[in-house]
Amino acid sequence: MFSRRRKHFGTSADKATYATLHTASLATPSLREGLTPAAATKASKHLRDLLGTAAIAICDSTSVLAWDGVGGAYEDYHRGVAHGIAAATLRTGRTAVLGAHDVACGDPQCPVRTAVVAPIVTEDRVVAVLVAYSPRSSAALVRATEEVARWVSGQVELAELNKERTRAMEAELRALRAQISPHFIYNALAAIASFVRTDPERARELLLEFADFSRYALRRGGEFTTLSDELRNVERYLVLEQARFGDRLKVSLLIAPEVLSVAIPFLVVQPLVENAVRHGLDGTTGIGKITIRAQDRGLEAEISVEDDGAGSDPEVIRAVLAGESTSDSIGLGNVDARLRQVYGDVYGLVVETAPEAGTKVSFRVPKYSSGVHASA
């Protein structure tokens, strides 16, 4: 006999847990933007769903950032007095439970009769409060409001950390742009000038390459680019250096096509190549060989720049990467710091070198990493 078996979707507790986690996940993206009026407004509906209250308000030290719940004349009144209700908790950081005497508007039909006011705290500082309005208060509502406020505090702290990370990366990038070698710029322009009379067409081509190199290196906006675009700018740089060094500069590029679309931090390869050219050829009369590789390593891409120049004392390089040296190794410390900021400490630079043995600098990046997307 055929019987239809009913699907099992879990217990009531399982369903309630799922619903809570799902609602919290819906609020998360907005809260990760920080406590702006727009972000608080988008998150407030989901926060009210979490608490199951008649209304909620989010207030910072100066204003009501968001309101969700009862509307019309009820909202006009309660939103207007919400910041006054929040004032004590904003000042003291202590949860407050307010009754009808402090909250009710006088209309017996209004569901807003009590309020629980809980602090939103980052770095031991009250930055805002969450106000949960309901017909009646209870110990369970107080605990729930405090827990939701603590969760919001965590999301706001993460938003601040993301902002700090972005500011730090932007500062590192500005420093690197300022560090783009004046020596290189002078020599590139001198090389271009040397062709103006003897080969005007070559001079024109080099000048266009220099303009494109500068436009890319000094572009505004976007922390990330594709490996393809980064390598294209490296090619521009090398065209200009080869105009200066001629046949003395030999370059090999060994690039796996499948990693060209990988997103990487902006300007992390060119400084390594510039460092290789400087330490591989400057001050010598022989031929310098530079090899640039980009390889597929499963879930990661590995990029390396190797030269056969004079090499360095490993202790000098260690000091550069640790920020303990003012050595002229162009951008090594900067690139290492930015890689670690984005991906974590396991993704810093690896430098293999010794005196008279050349230098190889390599790093790995995940092919896919949260928040790492190349700018258009």
Side-chain angles (χ1 to χ4, degrees), residues 267-308:
L267 279 183
V268 292
V269 181
Q270 187 275 331
L272 306 184
V273 176
E274 183 170 350
N275 193 68
V277 170
R278 169 178 285 193
H279 293 284
L281 277 170
D282 271 6
T284 70
T285 57
I287 293 174
K289 297 178 182 178
I290 294 175
T291 303
I292 303 167
R293 292 184 177 88
Q295 302 174 81
D296 188 348
R297 300 297 190 199
L299 296 177
E300 298 174 333
E302 183 178 34
I303 296 96
S304 66
V305 178
E306 185 172 4
D307 68 73
D308 64 351

Side-chain angles (χ1 to χ4, degrees), residues 46-320:
H46 305 301
L47 298 179
R48 185 168 70 89
D49 288 344
L50 276 175
L51 292 168
T53 53
I56 71 161
I58 300 174
C59 307
D60 66 6
S61 60
T62 60
S63 64
V64 179
L65 296 174
W67 170 279
D68 189 80
V70 294
Y74 298 148
E75 178 180 345
D76 292 342
Y77 174 80
H78 290 294
R79 184 175 183 131
V81 300
H83 198 267
I85 288 173
T89 299
L90 283 166
R91 186 176 62 255
T92 65
R94 292 195 293 268
T95 298
V97 181
L98 306 177
H101 176 75
D102 301 299
V103 177
C105 60
D107 188 329
Q109 301 302 314
C110 178
V112 172
R113 310 291 294 174
T114 66
V116 179
V117 189
I120 297 171
V121 180
T122 66
E123 297 182 349
D124 299 323
R125 180 172 57 92
V126 179
V127 295
V129 296
L130 174 64
V131 187
Y133 298 95
S134 65
R136 64 191 63 83
S137 63
S138 66
L141 178 60
V142 174
R143 288 196 299 271
T145 304
E146 288 180 324
E147 287 302 322
V148 170
R150 271 194 284 270
W151 177 76
V152 172
S153 298
Q155 301 307 307
V156 173
E157 281 200 334
L158 288 172
E160 287 300 316
L161 287 173
N162 286 337
K163 289 179 182 176
E164 287 295 329
R165 189 199 75 167
T166 299
R167 285 192 286 266
M169 285 190 64
E170 289 173 348
E172 293 278 3
L173 196 51
R174 285 195 297 271
L176 184 59
R177 284 172 171 144
Q179 196 180 357
I180 289 175
S181 174
H183 183 61
F184 159 68
I185 293 172
Y186 172 82
N187 286 321
L189 292 175
I192 293 169
S194 71
F195 289 105
V196 168
R197 291 180 181 273
T198 60
D199 192 344
E201 185 58 28
R202 178 85 187 280
R204 177 181 176 277
E205 291 172 357
L206 291 172
L207 195 58
L208 291 174
E209 293 285 3
F210 182 78
D212 288 341
F213 169 84
S214 301
R215 185 180 299 113
Y216 178 86
L218 301 175
R219 75 177 190 179
R220 296 288 182 183
E223 299 173 27
F224 306 103
T225 187
T226 63
L227 178 59
S228 176
D229 283 347
E230 186 79 356
L231 290 175
R232 177 66 188 96
N233 200 55
V234 167
E235 288 183 305
R236 296 184 187 109
Y237 167 79
L238 289 170
V239 165
L240 293 163
E241 289 290 52
Q242 284 176 321
R244 172 189 170 199
F245 288 109
D247 292 339
R248 289 182 54 216
L249 176 58
K250 304 294 184 183
V251 180
S252 296
L253 283 88
L254 305 172
I255 311 299
E258 57 268 29
V259 300
L260 287 173
S261 61
V262 171
I264 61 174
F266 180 62
L267 279 183
V268 292
V269 181
Q270 187 275 331
L272 306 184
V273 176
E274 183 170 350
N275 193 68
V277 170
R278 169 178 285 193
H279 293 284
L281 277 170
D282 271 6
T284 70
T285 57
I287 293 174
K289 297 178 182 178
I290 294 175
T291 303
I292 303 167
R293 292 184 177 88
Q295 302 174 81
D296 188 348
R297 300 297 190 199
L299 296 177
E300 298 174 333
E302 183 178 34
I303 296 96
S304 66
V305 178
E306 185 172 4
D307 68 73
D308 64 351
S312 298
D313 182 339
E315 282 303 305
V316 171
I317 299 300
R318 185 204 62 76
V320 168

